[in-house]
Each structure stands twice: as C-alpha cells, then as structure tokens.
C-alpha cells in the first residue's frame, strides 16, 4: 500500500502540489525547518542557491530517519518574499515527485531567524 495523492476536480487546479494525501499504515517522519546553511555554517547566496540548499538539508534530515524525497507527503515553505515563487517551484521540482507532488503550504513571513535567510523548508514523510 502506498500513499494516495489527489486533487479533486471541485477545487482549483494546483500548481505543483496535491490538495490531499491519504496514508496507509506506516511510520511518519517530521523534519524541523531547514534553512540554507551548510554543515560548516555557510549561508548560501541568493534565492536559487538558498532554496536548493534548504531542500538539500531537508533531504539530509529525511535520510537520517530512513526516509527520502519519494516518501514526502507534506511540505511547508516559509519565505520572506513571494516574488521568487517561480524560482522556488523550479528548485522544489528537482527534489519532489512531480507526478505525485506532496501537499504543500507556502507562507510569507516578516522574517526568519536571521535577516539574510530568505527561506525555510520543513517536511512530513510517510514510510510504509
């Protein structure tokens, strides 16, 4: 049994995410919000690099729990500005299964824990 991803016809057509996912019995994994800072404490530059680093860090956190990107059923993305949404979506699509994309929320915030951090990403994964 695997998760079922759906986007009902009576909801607006989603752009790169599913409206709902149903999970069979299994184990859930939550990550903390991951920011675009590497293990040495270096902050990535610009929207594309920061987004890619934050997603890569989510992947590392997932693998530490025995999960990986195909197991992700929910993403929450926090950004300080939504003007780079196309960039964020393009990078996100390098990581997620675009045929069965996870449910997602994107939230614009006034700021993150440092003024030079532009994005934070957290995930929920399901391991059958």
């Amino acid at each position: 049994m695997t998760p079922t991803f759906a986007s009902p016809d009576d909801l607006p057509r989603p752009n790169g995410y599913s409206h709902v996912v149903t999970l069979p019995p299994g184990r859930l994994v939550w990550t903390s919000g991951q920011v675009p800072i590497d293990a040495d404490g270096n902050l990535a530059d610009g929207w594309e690099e920061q987004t890619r680093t934050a997603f890569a860090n989510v992947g590392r956190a997932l693998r530490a729990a025995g999960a990986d990107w195909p197991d992700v059923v929910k993403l929450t993305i926090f950004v300080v500005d939504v003007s780079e949404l196309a960039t964020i979506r393009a990078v996100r699509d390098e990581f997620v299964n675009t045929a069965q994309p996870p449910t997602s929320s994107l939230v614009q915030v006034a700021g993150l824990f440092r003024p030079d951090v532009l994005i934070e990403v957290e995930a929920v994964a399901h391991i059958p």
Side-chain angles (χ1 to χ4, degrees):
M1 296 178 70
T2 61
T4 302
F5 296 83
S7 292
D9 291 336
D10 59 347
L11 287 172
R13 185 166 186 250
N15 187 352
Y17 64 93
S18 297
H19 279 292
V20 64
V21 62
T22 304
L23 302 175
R27 188 166 59 107
L28 291 177
V29 174
W30 282 266
T31 71
S32 290
Q34 299 298 311
V35 295
I37 298 174
D38 67 21
D40 295 323
N42 301 308
L43 176 67
D45 293 322
W47 276 101
E48 185 172 350
E49 190 177 333
Q50 283 205 16
T51 302
R52 189 168 285 109
T53 301
F55 272 86
N57 287 346
V58 169
R60 288 180 187 91
L62 290 167
R63 287 186 292 281
D68 211 339
W69 282 104
D71 304 313
V72 172
V73 295
K74 172 69 166 117
L75 284 173
T76 305
I77 304 169
F78 302 93
V79 296
V80 297
D81 184 356
V82 294
S83 67
E84 290 293 328
L85 187 54
T87 300
I88 295 163
R89 284 180 175 158
V91 173
R92 174 205 60 200
D93 289 353
E94 296 172 13
F95 293 86
V96 303
N97 177 352
T98 58
Q100 292 184 310
T103 61
S104 297
S105 298
L106 184 130
V107 181
Q108 182 173 341
V109 296
L112 293 165
F113 82 106
R114 282 178 31 184
D116 50 354
V117 172
L118 305 173
I119 187 168
E120 183 171 332
V121 181
E122 60 185 32
V124 178
H126 172 264
I127 303 171

